[in-house]
Amino acid sequence: QVFAALLGPLALAALALLLGTLPAQPLQVGSIRFEDVRFLFAALILPLWLGYTVLLQRAEEARRQRPDPLAEKQAAKLEELLLEFRAMQKQQEQIVQDISELKASKAKGEAAAAQEQQIRDEEAAIDRLHRELCGASGVLVHRFPAHAVQGTDGDLWSTPVFTACGRLWSIRMGRHGSTNSSTYFCLLPHGHDDRLRCVLLFAKRPGRGYKEWSVNDWPPELAGHPWGPNIPAEELEEYKQ
C-alpha cells in the first residue's frame, strides 16, 4: 500500500528528470507544430498520472470500506473480555454482599447471646437473693412510739422479739449519749451469737416513699452484740409520722 502510494510521485519525478535530459527541439505532428517536444510529453503524461492517482484513491477508499477480519476478531475478543469482567465484577459484588450478611447475622447472634446471658445473670441474682432470704420474713412491721423517738440519753426502746433464719432477734433503738445527734437502730440477737444480714425499711410521711438501710457489714468479732445503722437527727425527722 505504501509502495503503491509512492509509485505515482516517483514515476512523475522520474519522467520529469527524463524530460529534463531531452533536448529542446520542435516537433511537427500533422498540421500542429510543437516548439518543444518536452511540453508534448508532459501534456501526455500528466493526465495519465492524474488518472492513476484517482484510481489509487478509489482503491484505498474501497479497501477502507471492506471489513477487516483482524479488527473484527479483536473487537469480538474485547467484547468477550468485557463480558467476563462484568461477570467477575458481579461475582465480587455478590461475595461482598454475602460477607456483609454474614457479619450482620453474626452481630445479631452475638447480641441475642449477650441478651440471653444478661437474662440468665439476672435470674441467677434473683435466685441467689431468694436463697439468702429464704429464712427471713418479709412481713415484719414495727412501730416506734413518739416518746421513744424523742427520748433523751439513756432512754431505750426495743421491738418485740421476732424470728428470722430460725433465730430470735429484736430491734433496739436509742442514743449513745446526750451530745450524740444520731439515733441507732440495732439488731439484738437473743440466745445465740449469730449475725443477720437484712434490710431495714423506714417509712417516711405518706406520699414520700421509704428509705432503705442495709445491714450487711456485721463484723465477726462483734457476733452476739447489737449491730445496726446510726441515723442522723435531721434524717430521722423525715420518718416521723
Side-chain angles (χ1 to χ4, degrees):
Q1 295 176 356
V2 176
F3 176 76
L6 295 177
L7 182 60
L10 290 176
L12 183 62
L15 290 174
L17 291 175
L18 180 62
L19 291 175
T21 58
L22 294 176
Q25 59 183 358
L27 177 64
Q28 183 72 31
V29 180
S31 60
I32 302 175
R33 177 182 174 82
F34 295 95
E35 297 295 334
D36 193 342
V37 69
R38 292 178 299 180
F39 292 125
L40 176 61
F41 288 152
L44 294 174
I45 293 171
L46 182 61
L48 293 176
W49 178 78
L50 291 176
Y52 173 77
T53 303
V54 172
L55 291 175
L56 185 63
Q57 290 180 351
R58 290 182 178 178
E60 180 65 19
E61 292 177 356
R63 186 190 64 80
R64 291 179 180 178
Q65 292 177 358
R66 289 198 305 268
D68 189 356
L70 180 61
E72 292 181 353
K73 185 176 181 180
Q74 291 178 349
K77 185 64 176 178
L78 182 61
E79 183 69 20
E80 182 180 355
L81 292 176
L82 183 59
L83 292 176
E84 292 180 358
F85 173 75
R86 290 176 179 176
M88 292 177 60
Q89 186 178 14
K90 186 176 181 181
Q91 186 177 6
Q92 291 177 353
E93 292 176 354
Q94 184 64 35
I95 292 174
V96 172
Q97 183 178 358
D98 293 341
I99 293 175
S100 300
E101 292 178 355
L102 287 176
K103 289 183 178 179
S105 178
K106 182 179 179 181
K108 186 177 180 181
E110 291 177 352
Q115 185 177 3
E116 292 178 358
Q117 183 63 37
Q118 181 180 1
I119 293 175
R120 287 195 296 267
D121 293 342
E122 292 177 354
E123 291 177 350
I126 294 173
D127 293 340
R128 184 170 58 253
L129 179 61
H130 287 169
R131 288 193 302 269
E132 293 173 351
L133 299 178
C134 63
S137 173
V139 294
L140 299 177
V141 178
H142 299 289
R143 179 180 179 273
F144 297 91
H147 67 84
V149 177
Q150 297 173 359
T152 57
D153 181 21
D155 291 341
L156 301 176
W157 194 88
S158 180
T159 66
V161 177
F162 59 89
T163 301
C165 296
R167 301 290 187 272
L168 297 177
W169 313 83
S170 65
I171 299 178
R172 179 177 294 179
M173 184 196 70
R175 294 180 181 176
H176 295 290
S178 59
T179 59
N180 197 325
S181 60
S182 63
T183 302
Y184 62 82
F185 292 82
C186 294
L187 287 167
L188 181 64
H190 294 274
H192 60 89
D193 293 335
D194 293 331
R195 295 170 294 154
L196 181 65
R197 183 169 58 183
C198 63
V199 175
L200 302 180
L201 296 176
F202 291 85
K204 298 181 180 181
R205 290 186 176 88
R208 297 187 180 181
Y210 299 83
K211 176 62 181 292
E212 178 180 309
W213 283 86
S214 298
V215 181
N216 54 10
D217 56 351
W218 201 329
E221 60 272 15
L222 295 180
H225 296 275
W227 186 261
N230 289 322
I231 300 178
E234 59 272 13
E235 185 174 337
L236 188 62
E237 290 295 326
E238 300 179 5
Y239 306 149
K240 292 181 179 179
Q241 304 298 319

